[in-house]
Amino acid sequence: MKKYLYPSLLLVFGLLALAIFVFKKPAVRTPELKERHGDLAAGGEWLNTKAAIEGLLAKLRQNPADHKSRLLLAQAYMQEARVTGDHPYYDGAAMELLEEVLQAGPENFEALCCKASLSLTQHHFAQGLGIAEQARQLNPNSGFVYGLLTDANVEMGHYEEAIKMADKMNELRPDLPAYARVSYLREIYGDVPGAIQAMDMAVKAGYIGLEQTEWTRVALGHLHEISGDTARARGYYLMALAARPGYAYALAGMGRMAAARRDYATAIRYYQQARGLVKDYAFADELTDLYRLNGQPSEAQKMAKESIAMLASAAQEADDNEQMGHYADRELAYAYLKTNELDKALEHAKIEYGRRPDNIDVNETMAWVLYKRGQYAEAQKYMQVARRTGSKNPVLLARAGLILSKLGKTAEGQALIENSLKTAPYLNPDVEAEGKRLLAVR
């Protein structure tokens, strides 16, 4: 009897084990937190952030259906992306978490707002606008959603609609993000003093040392840069560094201030430090110019290639994934100009233009790429659109002046170039060099 009992029991246990394996619901994989390093790991902020995120992860391990904790974790990862610059990992992780929340509750307002914000961060602007509109239908009294709608409409080139959204945001909740949006729009419309005033209000509305506050302080410094007031700009960058030591974007600002004094070696050191802290292709892009200006052509070429590789990888991911992946074609257009690959520059400028033909920055990109290709009349068509809001950005005006000069409108073109170089010649070394060459042969 026992001879036949044991094989039977083994068979039963085997079938039970198989059933458990087949029908068991797979555990939900939750993206983990990465360690910070260097200055980013210093201070109490990281300890508090780490403890909070580990607490949320523990809750999700205990209860995978806890979508409130999942949403909070997604928001924490979005902020971690801002702080570390590791957008590919954290934005992807946050989107994964948000999709799970929205699958359980498709009308979760906060999750929709977060998804819209992520879409904008990844430069999926049309998608972000649509999701933000969906969120507004659910809650038309949220100031936050009007901030998203402001940003999305700006990026799509719908500037009048963006103003309406910013006004509504300030009506509902005047605070740091609301004042900052007003500043951006005033700058777009050429009111730089008004932009400075609004950004100053934004800084004062924030808590000193928080990443959002110091980001805003750096933005205020940059507004003084484009006004030609480098002393005041430098002061704001130093204040940001005092409040948030090792803040990468303030270090980059100090690098620009050193470059304005033609102290390129110091500028390079600042940018290298910023680049070691935060993954932002813009730092590699700026270093390309600085190495060239410092007489290091091989380093400049190496950095230009590295910048293109970073951007191309992000663009490829975006092409492969409708939800995520950073659209980087406008940035790639400028990057390819630095390696004199004009066909590729035009290819990517056209791709970006196809996505948002009304945006003034995209039209400026098209104009500048065409200028570099010697297609001056075609460049002027795009430049006219780029200038339609009356922006006083010195780089934009210098580029407009160069195009006009090539088309024979010498007096108008040279006036724009002279005014730009007088205000802020340090903002773009390529444009500065072109402008000076043209003025020298008058």
Side-chain angles (χ1 to χ4, degrees):
M1 180 77 175
K2 290 183 179 178
K3 180 179 178 182
Y4 300 103
L5 179 60
Y6 290 127
S8 298
L9 287 172
L10 287 172
L11 178 62
V12 170
F13 284 128
L15 289 171
L16 284 171
L18 179 63
I20 291 170
F21 177 77
V22 171
F23 295 108
K24 180 185 176 184
K25 187 176 180 180
V28 176
R29 186 192 71 83
T30 303
E32 294 292 325
L33 176 67
K34 288 185 176 183
E35 282 290 338
R36 291 189 195 174
H37 300 284
D39 287 345
L40 290 179
E45 182 188 272
W46 170 233
L47 294 176
N48 293 334
T49 298
K50 191 174 182 180
I53 290 176
E54 286 177 348
L56 291 169
L57 288 166
K59 285 184 178 181
L60 287 170
R61 282 191 290 270
Q62 185 177 5
N63 179 15
D66 182 357
H67 292 300
K68 181 177 180 181
S69 292
R70 185 167 281 108
L71 176 60
L72 290 171
L73 183 60
Q75 292 170 337
Y77 281 168
M78 290 168 67
Q79 179 60 23
E80 197 64 11
R82 281 180 59 96
V83 172
T84 64
D86 193 355
H87 287 279
Y89 176 77
Y90 282 116
D91 286 352
M95 185 65 85
E96 184 180 325
L97 293 163
L98 291 171
E99 290 295 353
E100 291 169 5
V101 174
L102 288 167
Q103 188 174 0
E107 294 192 345
N108 187 310
F109 172 75
E110 286 187 72
L112 285 170
C113 285
C114 289
K115 185 175 179 180
S117 181
L118 275 177
S119 296
L120 297 178
T121 299
Q122 294 292 316
H123 290 193
H124 293 232
F125 299 122
Q127 176 180 295
L129 178 58
I131 298 169
E133 285 285 6
Q134 185 182 349
R136 178 169 63 160
Q137 296 302 314
L138 295 171
N139 182 2
N141 296 311
S142 163
F144 183 73
V145 78
Y146 288 101
L148 295 172
L149 288 165
T150 301
D151 296 343
N153 278 294
V154 164
E155 296 297 348
M156 293 303 293
H158 308 157
Y159 300 109
E160 291 183 4
E161 186 65 17
I163 291 172
K164 294 177 186 176
M165 297 300 99
D167 286 346
K168 185 67 175 177
M169 184 184 189
N170 277 271
E171 176 188 321
L172 289 167
R173 187 175 178 178
D175 57 5
L176 183 154
Y179 298 142
R181 261 74 172 204
V182 170
S183 178
Y184 297 148
L185 285 162
R186 286 179 177 176
E187 182 186 359
I188 285 168
Y189 278 90
D191 181 8
V192 178
I196 289 172
Q197 179 190 41
M199 196 64 79
D200 183 59
M201 291 171 66
V203 172
K204 289 173 180 174
Y207 291 98
I208 293 174
L210 287 183
E211 193 275 337
Q212 291 90 337
T213 305
E214 302 318 317
W215 171 276
T216 307
R217 200 185 309 277
V218 168
L220 178 57
H222 188 64
L223 285 169
H224 284 290
E225 270 191 72
I226 67 174
S227 305
D229 190 347
T230 55
R232 192 161 292 180
R234 184 174 183 273
Y236 283 115
Y237 300 143
L238 288 171
M239 287 171 67
L241 286 170
R244 193 174 180 87
Y247 188 46
Y249 297 100
L251 289 169
M254 291 298 292
R256 289 194 301 275
M257 295 300 89
R261 303 190 303 271
R262 304 292 194 255
D263 184 357
Y264 301 122
T266 298
I268 287 169
R269 286 196 294 274
Y270 274 120
Y271 270 98
Q272 286 173 334
Q273 188 178 351
R275 190 164 170 264
L277 291 165
V278 171
K279 299 177 182 178
D280 191 326
Y281 90 93
F283 297 152
D285 182 65
E286 294 281 355
L287 277 168
T288 300
D289 291 332
L290 291 170
Y291 281 127
R292 180 171 53 79
L293 291 166
N294 201 44
Q296 298 173 263
S298 61
E299 286 296 322
Q301 185 69 7
K302 176 184 173 184
M303 200 55 60
K305 293 292 185 182
E306 188 171 324
S307 181
I308 288 171
M310 290 172 65
L311 291 167
S313 175
Q316 184 60 55
E317 184 184 353
D319 289 339
D320 295 340
N321 183 350
E322 289 185 9
Q323 291 270 26
M324 291 298 293
H326 184 88
Y327 282 141
D329 292 287
R330 178 169 172 261
E331 294 88 344
L332 272 168
Y334 284 118
Y336 278 122
L337 287 181
K338 292 186 179 182
T339 57
N340 203 36
E341 296 175 85
L342 302 185
D343 289 344
K344 288 183 178 180
L346 182 59
E347 174 191 345
H348 286 283
K350 285 181 174 179
I351 291 171
E352 192 67 43
Y353 181 80
R355 292 193 191 105
R356 43 195 189 121
D358 297 325
N359 180 276
I360 59 172
D361 296 325
V362 174
N363 278 274
E364 179 185 0
T365 304
M366 281 292 297
W368 190 239
V369 171
L370 289 164
Y371 170 86
K372 288 291 190 177
R373 292 169 63 88
Q375 298 171 250
Y376 306 124
E378 190 72 8
Q380 175 61 4
K381 294 177 186 177
Y382 292 99
M383 184 54 75
Q384 286 177 323
V385 179
R387 295 184 65 194
R388 79 178 195 272
T389 61
S391 171
K392 298 293 192 300
N393 185 288
V395 176
L396 170 68
L397 295 182
R399 285 172 171 160
L402 286 164
I403 292 168
L404 287 169
S405 297
K406 293 291 185 179
L407 292 173
K409 298 182 179 181
T410 309
E412 184 182 358
Q414 290 183 348
L416 285 172
I417 296 166
E418 285 179 336
N419 185 57
S420 173
L421 295 182
K422 181 181 177 181
T423 303
Y426 43 78
L427 283 176
N428 187 299
D430 181 34
V431 171
E432 178 190 6
E434 292 250 7
K436 286 182 174 179
R437 279 197 296 270
L438 190 145
L439 293 176
V441 297
R442 284 187 297 185

